[in-house]
Amino acid sequence: MHAHNYGHSIVLIGNFNPKIFHPAWFSAQGLIGKKEEEGAKIEIVHSDLSLFSADWLSIEVLHDRFKASTTQQPYSDAVRDLVLGTFTILRHTPLTMMGINIEKHFRVNSEDIWHKAGRKLAPKEPWEGLINEPGMLSLTMQGQRSDTYKGFIRVTAEPSRKVRPGLFFQVNDHYEAADRGNILGSDEIVSILKASWQTSCKNADVIISGLYERITTQ
Amino acid sequence: MSIPQTALFEDERYREDSIGNLLSDQFKGNSRGGRNSRFLNPLQTFDTYSDALLGNSSLNDSNRDFIGDHPLLWYEASNEQGECIALQQWECVVLDIGPEYFSARLHDLTADNPEEEAEFSVEDIKEDDLDLLRSGAVFYWSVGYYTSTSGQKMRTSIIKFRRLPAWCERELALIEQGAKELGRAIGWGSQKSPSR
């Protein structure tokens, strides 16, 4: 079972200076190549917001949020490396939370299976007579972490808007620093990212493929 | 482009999550195609979707995303990346380098297969990554299919060399200290050689 569309992102919550997150800075630090820098499409680099894409990578930075993402699965580990590299260099940037997020769209074989999947996730009975033609738009479930880190795992299922008929799944693997009020730099979150990346990716795959199987089989 | 300050910086709903939908979904659209329900079309729920598929809706694609509250700003950025799905992925370490080919040890990231060795053409490396080719360098190799922004689908093989910043003095000092502590814990340096 292979996804039709794919997205992988790392979101960091902390305090950032958006203006420095420019393709030329990443290239000067050796985190992207010179050609990638030259080919980068800069939407905006401003003191309040930085937004650009370069080949396989998209970067969005606000004062309180950093996001690196790709829609090309072969580059998901490269996104991890770029984030590790960036905040190893900017080690005094206070980071309090991190999300490792995977998104996948799947095509389903028939509309009938697709409708049944929606009904399995959100049965219609509680809604009947209250609203006309109830249909599931989005469902998010939150689970506890099975490791020792602070945080949670959120899984969202929706009708796909990219594949018709299709299903969309997102796993938000959310980590928090042990003491968010007393963060001096990026070391703790960077360490969590180094230690958890592979496990996080595998868990997300298990969750998404398991859920897909359960709701699309009779 | 004007930035809607209220939505961007004062909406507390977006401060306590790490999903990262703030810009992607509200202001430019992303792979998910919009998360916030005020931008979603009710016709696209399960069970009521057929009408939209059959064209029974009076809505067209251009206004479909604007049902409900109007977004403050809809910045539709094109996806410059294209999309790529990997069918199999390996993490590889460069072993030997020749003028035209180099060999590498492959660790399968997709399945629990034993490590293998393979030979690659130097020509397959992106120009940007050529100066990273050296013995011991790590790269990722993926085979899959790529879909361009125009929808053209093609089989692809991608080699991407790992880029990490050079070790800084602080990290080297930490590693050295760790090695010394490990050596002490094992007993190296304090134990006499058996030959003496």
Side-chain angles (χ1 to χ4, degrees), chain A residues 67-84:
Chain A
K67 178 181 178 184
S69 62
T70 187
T71 55
Q72 300 190 39
Q73 197 172 2
Y75 293 100
S76 59
D77 284 326
V79 170
R80 183 267 320 263
D81 294 342
L82 180 121
V83 173
L84 285 179

Side-chain angles (χ1 to χ4, degrees), chain A residues 178-211:
Chain A
D179 182 4
R180 278 166 54 186
N182 192 26
I183 292 294
L184 297 174
S186 61
D187 287 354
E188 184 178 354
I189 293 291
V190 163
S191 298
I192 295 173
L193 177 58
K194 271 184 192 165
S196 306
W197 174 259
Q198 295 291 355
T199 311
S200 176
C201 297
K202 282 186 178 162
N203 283 347
D205 279 342
V206 168
I207 291 169
I208 290 174
S209 57
L211 194 56

Side-chain angles (χ1 to χ4, degrees), chain B residues 15 47 52 64 66 69-71 73 112 117 119 123 126 133 137 139 142 147 150 154 156 170 172:
Chain B
R15 293 198 180 277
D47 283 311
R64 191 160 282 172
F66 294 88
D69 298 340
H70 293 288
L73 172 67
D112 289 329
E117 285 188 20
E119 204 165 65
E123 281 189 353
K126 280 169 73 175
L133 176 61
F139 66 94
S142 306
T147 309
S150 63
M154 57 198 97
T156 186
R170 174 181 151 271
L172 291 171

